[in-house]
Amino acid sequence: MAVSVVAPEHSSALQKEAERLSVNSEAAILIDARSGDVLYKKNEEKEMAPASITKIATGIIALESGRADDQVVVSRNARQTDGTRIFLAEGEQKPLEDLVYGLLMNSGNDAAVAIAEHIDGSVTAFSQRMNRFAQSVGANHTNFTNPSGLYEKEHVTTAADMAKIAAYAMKNEKFREIVRTRIKPWEGKEWKSELVNHNKMLVSYQGANGIKNGFTSQSGFTLVTSAERNGTELIVVLLKATSSNQIYKDAIKLLDYGFSHYKTVPVLKAGAKISEGEGSYYASETVYASIPKDDMFKVRIVPQNGLIVETTSGLTREYPSVLTKEQHLEAGAPAPNEQTDAVDTASKYSLPEFFMLFFWWLMIVFMSWMMILLLKKERV
């Protein structure tokens, strides 16, 4: 995902409408999932308790670090985990993928601990892996101390960081499949029922396709949700709402705002080249931007390989790390790996190739000699 830095809003009308949005959650952010562009923000860098949206990080790490059919043995520690559970039994064995379903759909804290112990041997070691992962996606103000989201003073994140984590996770097709699943049968050793996705947006909002909600008494209600319409996918993160009803109202309000005013467009396709002065640059992957619905756009390059997108209504977005400078050879310089010294012709071929060429050379000499003999006969 391209990381974008958003310049001041292009239109006072759009800015005023965003300011009029009455979002009651203490922190909030709305981003375009493909470009990372920020469309709305409120206290987005404030460090807060995430509750069970922590499990977004746990789930994507599990899918990337383990195999779906890995057999996870549930420990006593996992069995006795506090909070929401899927009632795993001590000694029970379940495929890793099943536990990720239980983690993300039914918010199983016991599944979170079982996953952590399976992958890294302990909750502490897995939490360290979670923090390395957070750093790798640019979530620099996040510190995880457990895989479930149970409240601990040092277990914190920000709305902006969770948006980055969610956008990364939603690139994984298996993750997307899990978080949009509404109901799934469950056959456990102690609990035979069905997993029911706790994210109410899946049944109440058009285009909703994920991803996770949470609650503890210290964090309040938290929610990360996504929706896609007409090729535009948006992600909302909300932290510390006072009620479940209020947090879903905030999510709908922000998604409606985003879909009403913005569209996602590819501004530079993968492999496309763009020149600035004497330099040429190319995009290794398609670069997207979120722009006002009625706008056209143009692109240009700034120093340090930055790509600038400018729209007809005056919005400017900057993508500083999406281009690679093309390397040009100086005139007369050898191409990479090119041999500058003379090389015997025979050394360019394998032994069988050499004998084949030698055979054809003999045939040509023989045919030429025969032609000369025939010509001499005719003259006589």
Side-chain angles (χ1 to χ4, degrees), residues 273 275 278-282 324-328:
K273 293 182 183 179
S275 298
E278 296 182 358
S280 293
Y281 303 82
Y282 67 90
T324 301
K325 190 169 184 179
E326 188 175 38
Q327 300 297 319
H328 294 286

Side-chain angles (χ1 to χ4, degrees), residues 25-29 41-50 53 141-143 155-162 218-219 237-240:
S25 301
E26 192 168 319
I29 195 168
K41 57 188 178 180
K42 173 187 175 182
N43 296 329
E44 76 284 0
E45 297 291 354
K46 184 176 181 179
E47 293 183 1
M48 303 173 70
I53 61 174
H141 301 286
T142 291
N143 184 64
H155 189 90
V156 294
T157 190
T158 69
D161 279 4
M162 282 309 305
Q218 297 91 343
S219 68
V237 180
L238 297 160
L239 300 178
K240 205 166 188 179

Side-chain angles (χ1 to χ4, degrees), residues 99-112:
L99 291 183
V100 178
Y101 272 97
L103 172 86
L104 293 171
M105 290 181 62
N106 224 71
S107 206
N109 290 346
D110 46 357

Side-chain angles (χ1 to χ4, degrees), residues 146-320:
N146 65 69
S148 65
L150 283 173
Y151 180 77
E152 292 180 309
K153 187 177 179 181
E154 301 301 320
H155 189 90
V156 294
T157 190
T158 69
D161 279 4
M162 282 309 305
K164 292 172 185 175
I165 291 170
Y168 176 88
M170 289 294 280
K171 285 184 174 182
N172 183 293
E173 286 304 318
K174 175 52 71 172
F175 184 94
R176 291 176 73 91
E177 176 188 317
I178 293 171
V179 295
R180 68 171 176 256
T181 301
R182 297 181 185 180
I183 297 175
K184 181 179 174 63
W186 182 262
E187 287 288 329
K189 189 174 180 180
E190 293 183 355
W191 186 53
K192 293 175 174 59
S193 183
E194 57 186 18
L195 304 175
V196 178
N197 200 313
H198 291 183
N199 179 8
K200 296 176 183 177
M201 292 292 283
L202 294 175
V203 295
S204 64
Y205 193 81
Q206 180 189 349
N209 57 4
I211 56 179
K212 186 76 186 74
N213 65 320
F215 172 79
T216 66
S217 57
Q218 297 91 343
S219 68
F221 291 87
T222 63
L223 177 66
V224 180
T225 194
S226 61
E228 185 170 10
R229 294 181 184 175
N230 302 317
T232 294
E233 185 170 54
L234 304 177
I235 293 174
V236 170
V237 180
L238 297 160
L239 300 178
K240 205 166 188 179
T242 55
S243 70
S244 175
N245 186 49
Q246 189 58 63
I247 206 165
Y248 286 107
K249 283 184 177 178
D250 284 349
I252 290 169
K253 193 177 296 182
L254 289 177
L255 288 172
D256 283 350
Y257 168 78
F259 286 126
S260 295
H261 295 98
Y262 292 94
K263 63 183 177 182
T264 307
V265 293
V267 295
L268 206 61
K269 292 185 177 179
K273 293 182 183 179
I274 182 171
S275 298
E276 179 74 17
E278 296 182 358
S280 293
Y281 303 82
Y282 67 90
S284 57
E285 60 183 45
T286 299
V287 180
Y288 293 92
S290 184
I291 67 174
K293 270 196 164 180
D294 297 327
D295 276 15
M296 305 291 285
F297 68 89
K298 63 180 180 180
V299 297
R300 62 183 177 88
I301 298 174
V302 294
Q304 289 81 45
N305 302 0
L307 182 71
I308 296 291
V309 177
E310 296 173 334
T311 77
T312 49
S313 64
L315 174 66
T316 300
R317 296 200 189 278
E318 180 182 344
Y319 303 86

Side-chain angles (χ1 to χ4, degrees), residues 104-126:
L104 293 171
M105 290 181 62
N106 224 71
S107 206
N109 290 346
D110 46 357
V113 173
I115 288 168
E117 292 178 338
H118 173 73
I119 291 176
D120 281 316
S122 71
V123 164
T124 299
F126 187 79

